[in-house]
Amino acid sequence: MTTSLPIGMFDSGVGGLTVLKALRHRLPCEDILYLGDTARLPYGTKSPETVSRYAVQASGKLIERGVKLLVIACNTATSVALGALREAYPGIPVIGVVQPGAQASCRASVSGNIAVIATESTIRGNAYQKAIHAIRPEARVVGKPCPLFVSLAEEGWLDGELVEGVAARYLSPLFETAEQADRPDCLVLGCTHFPLLAGAIRNVIGPDIAIVDSAETTSLAVEAELAARGLLRTEPGCGGTRFLTTDDVPRFARTGSLFLGMNIAPEDVELVDL
C-alpha cells in the first residue's frame, strides 16, 4: 500500500462532507475519494442489518478504486457497521466518527453529564453511550433522536424561527426540565448533518453548554493512523478531492457545496451504482 493512494470516505449523503472539510484542512496533501449514497438515505431510519449491507457495498466501491484508509463519515453506519467493515476488508484500516466524538465529549464535560443527539438508529444502538462509558464509567449519558435535523440540513434550512422551534422541541426536555444536578453540560452532535444547525442549537441551549462535533477529532484520528502506518503523504502540493454519488448529481453538488463551504461543480461529481 502506498502513500499516494487516496483516503476513502462514505456517508449516506452529504453530511459526511463536514468530516471531509476537517480532513481537507488538517491533511492538505492527501487525496480524498468521497461517496455519498444519496439514493438510499437516510440510513438513520433503517434496520442495523440494512445499514451494515449498505456500508459494506459503499466501502467496496471505494476499495475497488484503491484507497489506503477508510473513513465512515456517518454516525449511524459507524454505530452498527464498524465491525462488519473491518471483517469484510481486513487489509484496510477503518476509522469511524463515534469513538473520536466520545473522547472529545469526555474531555469537554466537567460534570460527566453528557447528552447525545443523533439519528434513531444511532441512539437505539447505544453506540455513544458505550464508547463514553468505556472512557468515563461514571458518566451519565442521555440520548435523544432528532431525525428532522437531517431533513432540515439537507434542505439547507439552517437557522431561523422554524429551525429553532424544532430544536427547542427536541432539546428543551434535556436542558430545561432536567434537575440542575442532572442537567448535561455537554451536547454531542452525533450525526454529521447536525453541525450545520449548530447556530440554531446554540441559541436554544444557551452559551454554557459545550457542543462537541466529531469532525475535528476524527481528522486527528485519521492523521494519527496514517502516521502510525507510514502512510501519511507529505510531499508538497495540494491534494485533490473526487466525489461519487448514487443519485441526483446536481442536488449532491448544490447541497454538498453548503456542507463543504465551497463550490462543488456538477461535472466534478460521478454517478455510480451500488
Side-chain angles (χ1 to χ4, degrees):
M1 197 178 300
T2 67
T3 60
S4 61
L5 287 174
I7 296 167
M9 306 179 63
F10 80 90
D11 180 35
S12 61
V14 296
L17 292 173
T18 58
V19 182
L20 189 152
K21 184 177 181 180
L23 275 177
R24 202 53 302 144
H25 177 74
R26 178 161 294 279
L27 301 172
C29 296
E30 298 288 349
D31 290 325
I32 299 175
L33 179 62
Y34 180 94
L35 189 156
D37 188 13
T38 49
R40 303 189 293 194
L41 67 79
Y43 282 8
T45 57
K46 307 292 194 301
S47 70
E49 294 78 15
T50 296
V51 173
S52 290
R53 185 172 72 253
Y54 289 176
V56 169
Q57 292 170 348
S59 299
K61 179 65 69 173
L62 295 169
I63 288 169
E64 73 182 24
R65 297 194 177 210
V67 297
K68 61 184 176 182
L69 180 143
L70 183 66
V71 179
I72 313 173
C74 172
N75 285 270
T76 297
T78 299
S79 66
V80 302
L82 181 61
L85 290 176
R86 287 175 171 165
E87 182 178 344
Y89 306 110
I92 300 291
V94 182
I95 291 179
V97 290
V98 171
Q99 186 66 27
Q103 291 170 342
S105 70
C106 289
R107 290 193 298 267
S109 175
V110 175
S111 68
N113 295 341
I114 299 170
V116 179
I117 56 173
T119 64
E120 295 173 12
S121 183
T122 299
I123 297 300
R124 185 171 60 243
N126 290 319
Y128 273 97
Q129 290 91 324
K130 293 173 184 175
I132 290 169
H133 284 142
I135 302 166
R136 289 183 69 169
E138 81 287 358
R140 286 175 286 184
V141 186
V142 59
K144 176 73 175 180
C146 301
L148 285 180
F149 281 174
V150 175
S151 300
L152 290 171
E154 289 277 349
E155 287 296 329
W157 295 2
L158 309 181
D159 51 28
E161 187 174 330
L162 184 148
V163 179
E164 290 187 17
V166 173
R169 186 69 175 263
Y170 282 142
L171 300 177
S172 292
L174 297 178
F175 293 96
E176 292 182 7
T177 61
E179 295 293 331
Q180 185 64 42
D182 298 327
R183 190 167 297 157
D185 66 352
C186 177
L187 176 67
V188 180
L189 306 184
C191 174
T192 52
H193 285 74
F194 293 2
L196 268 73
L197 305 174
I201 291 169
R202 172 62 73 197
N203 288 342
V204 169
I205 67 174
D208 299 327
I209 309 299
I211 295 179
V212 168
D213 165 15
S214 61
E216 179 59 32
T217 47
T218 299
S219 72
L220 287 166
V222 170
E223 181 181 39
E225 185 72 17
L226 290 176
R229 292 175 177 264
L231 295 174
L232 199 60
R233 190 174 180 181
T234 56
E235 60 263 34
C238 289
T241 305
R242 290 181 291 154
F243 302 98
L244 310 175
T245 187
T246 55
D247 186 50
D248 200 341
V249 166
R251 179 179 174 84
F252 178 93
R254 182 176 64 253
T255 310
S257 298
L258 183 67
F259 279 69
L260 195 55
M262 60 179 289
N263 184 59
I264 300 173
E267 55 267 26
D268 294 331
V269 183
E270 179 184 349
L271 184 65
V272 297
D273 184 24
L274 300 182

